[in-house]
Structures are given as structure tokens and as C-alpha cells.
């Protein structure tokens, strides 16, 4: 019996020593990447140069607006988000449209209202609409189309305008919609200087008040802007919607 008791005591002592060693060693460590070939497939948090909720654009991290809950039940809106990207306002650009040189004289308490793919700039009926002044423009505007444009009120002028962004030329398709008339000579192929008259603001129609519908679409790299017309709008392979405040010149 004494021998059995001694064996039991020794076994208990060894078990206690093992438990203490396990406690000091801490929980088991995960296998290293080298020991598990599947670990190499895990994405690295350092792979993206921008924090979550932003996307890189020419060295600047631009915040991407979250999709609203109201959009979730709309297949049309869901498809729109999926089909093409959008370039929101750059953080360093003022949010107030009153800080920009606008292509029309605005009126009312809320002169700028986001609408669809652009902004509605409230104006008096018949107010003159001019070629917008952009930041660091290159050359004159080229009219790509003038007339009715699907999804836009009244008549519209679609113009190609070019800017110099950090030594790189960027082409934009600019939509001037909600017009009641188009000025004489404004037709596809016409070249117009900054400030040239495009037409005049038309009736409100189904909108609350007369307004200029302004949209800016940045042409994708490698795409010939001279080949683009109204059908390119919303086609991500050709152009992406950009916030007008990214390209409009600031008021002096």
C-alpha cells in the first residue's frame, strides 16, 4: 500500500508541474504564415493606402458616402450604385455652392439642391446660362450635343471641357439641363469660350421652381472624349459622375 501511495503522490506532483508550465506558457499561438499555405490568401490591412470608407484618387483619399437605407428597397437605385462609380466632393473643396463661380445667377433661399446625377441651381425663368468656369481650364468648351436629353428636364447642352489637374489633363462631360431655349449657334461641334451663352433657364415643369440642372462626368483614362455623346452618361466604361464642386472654379 505504501508503494502505491508513493506512486500516486509522484503522479500528482508531475501533473501539478505540467499544469503550472502550461499556465506560464499562455494560450497556444496561431500557426505562422509559413506553416499554413492558406494564410497567404488572407488580405493584409496595409494593402490599401486609404482608411476604410474612402477611396484613393490622384493621391487623395476621398470619402465615399454610405448607401442610405432608403435605397435598399429600390432595385433601380441598387443597380445604379453597382453599375458605375461616383466621385464625391473632395474634402478640401468648400461644401457651399455659393463659394463657386456658377454658370447661372441663382435665386431663392436654397440655390443648390442635389438631384439625381447632379445639382439643381435655382434661378429665375429666362436667366442666362453660360459655359462654366472650371479650375485650371484647358482650351475652349466643345459642344457634343444640344436638345432634349433623357432623364433631364427641358432642353440640355452637353459640352466637353478640359482641366489641368496636377499636370494631367482631365476631360469632363458637362450637362447644362433644364433650359427653355438653346442659344443660336450652340450645336454639336461648336467651340465656345468660357462664359459664352448656352441658352436660358426654362419653366419648372414637374420641379418646384425653375432651375439649371448641372452635371459633371469625368471621362475615363484612355477614352476618346471626342467620340462621346449623351449615351456615354452613366456608362462606367466611358465616364464616372463627379461632384461639380471638384471642378468648378472658386469665386474671387
Amino acid at each position: 500500500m505504501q508503494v502505491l501511495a508513493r506512486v500516486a503522490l509522484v503522479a500528482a506532483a508531475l501533473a501539478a508541474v505540467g499544469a503550472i508550465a502550461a499556465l506560464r506558457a499562455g494560450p497556444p499561438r496561431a500557426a505562422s504564415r509559413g506553416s499554413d499555405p492558406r494564410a497567404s490568401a488572407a488580405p493584409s490591412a496595409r494593402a490599401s493606402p486609404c482608411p476604410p470608407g474612402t477611396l484613393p484618387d490622384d493621391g487623395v483619399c476621398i470619402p465615399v458616402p454610405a448607401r442610405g437605407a432608403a435605397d435598399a428597397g429600390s432595385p433601380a437605385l441598387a443597380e445604379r450604385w453597382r453599375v458605375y462609380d461616383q466621385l464625391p466632393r473632395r474634402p478640401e473643396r468648400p461644401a457651399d455652392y455659393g463659394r463657386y463661380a456658377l454658370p447661372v445667377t441663382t435665386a431663392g433661399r436654397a440655390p443648390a439642391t442635389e438631384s439625381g446625377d447632379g445639382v439643381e441651381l435655382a434661378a429665375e425663368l429666362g436667366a442666362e446660362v453660360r459655359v462654366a468656369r472650371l479650375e485650371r481650364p484647358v482650351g475652349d468648351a466643345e459642344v457634343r450635343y444640344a436638345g432634349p436629353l433623357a432623364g433631364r428636364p427641358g432642353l440640355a447642352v452637353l459640352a466637353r471641357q478640359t482641366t489641368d489637374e496636377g499636370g494631367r489633363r482631365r476631360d469632363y462631360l458637362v450637362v447644362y439641363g433644364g433650359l427653355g431655349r438653346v442659344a443660336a449657334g450652340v450645336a454639336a461641334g461648336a467651340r465656345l469660350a468660357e462664359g459664352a451663352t448656352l441658352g436660358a433657364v426654362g419653366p419648372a415643369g414637374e420641379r418646384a421652381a425653375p432651375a439649371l440642372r448641372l452635371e459633371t462626368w469625368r471621362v475615363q483614362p484612355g477614352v476618346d472624349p471626342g467620340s462621346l455623346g449623351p449615351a456615354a452618361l452613366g456608362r462606367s466604361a466611358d465616364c464616372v459622375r463627379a461632384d461639380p464642386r471638384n471642378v468648378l472654379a472658386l469665386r474671387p
Side-chain angles (χ1 to χ4, degrees):
M1 293 294 292
Q2 292 181 353
V3 174
L4 293 175
R6 289 177 181 177
V7 172
L9 289 173
V10 171
L14 291 175
V17 171
I20 294 173
L23 289 173
R24 290 181 177 178
R29 296 181 180 179
S32 64
R33 289 181 181 269
S35 63
D36 185 1
R38 294 175 299 175
S40 60
S44 170
R46 298 182 181 180
S48 175
C50 290
T54 64
L55 290 174
D57 181 56
D58 284 346
V60 177
C61 294
I62 299 179
V64 179
R67 219 175 121 189
D71 296 351
S74 172
L77 289 177
E79 178 69 12
R80 174 175 294 180
W81 276 85
R82 185 178 67 81
V83 169
Y84 63 85
D85 298 323
Q86 303 180 44
L87 299 177
R89 177 179 59 86
R90 290 179 180 272
E92 73 276 10
R93 302 291 289 176
D96 181 9
Y97 272 93
R99 298 280 305 279
Y100 296 90
L102 301 176
V104 68
T105 300
T106 56
R109 295 184 178 180
T113 305
E114 298 289 339
S115 176
D117 292 318
V119 61
E120 298 276 350
L121 300 175
E124 297 291 339
L125 179 64
E128 183 184 28
V129 176
R130 303 170 294 275
V131 175
R133 179 160 64 92
L134 305 186
E135 287 282 358
R136 298 176 296 278
V138 177
D140 293 336
E142 178 193 0
V143 177
R144 300 297 307 155
Y145 173 81
L149 189 56
R152 283 79 179 177
L155 302 175
V157 173
L158 176 65
R160 166 197 175 186
Q161 295 183 241
T162 307
T163 65
D164 181 342
E165 299 180 6
R168 179 187 304 176
R169 288 195 175 189
R170 292 282 197 188
D171 289 295
Y172 288 85
L173 295 179
V174 184
V175 176
Y176 302 85
L179 306 181
R181 64 174 179 83
V182 175
V186 177
R191 292 188 173 273
L192 303 172
E194 171 191 302
T197 300
L198 294 173
V201 173
E206 297 181 356
R207 299 171 296 171
L212 168 67
R213 171 72 169 274
L214 182 67
E215 303 173 21
T216 51
W217 298 78
R218 193 171 79 177
V219 178
Q220 295 281 35
V223 175
D224 177 15
S227 66
L228 301 181
L233 302 178
R235 195 163 59 198
S236 60
D238 293 329
C239 58
V240 293
R241 183 171 74 87
D243 192 298
R245 291 165 292 191
N246 289 346
V247 293
L248 288 173
L250 293 170
R251 296 177 63 182

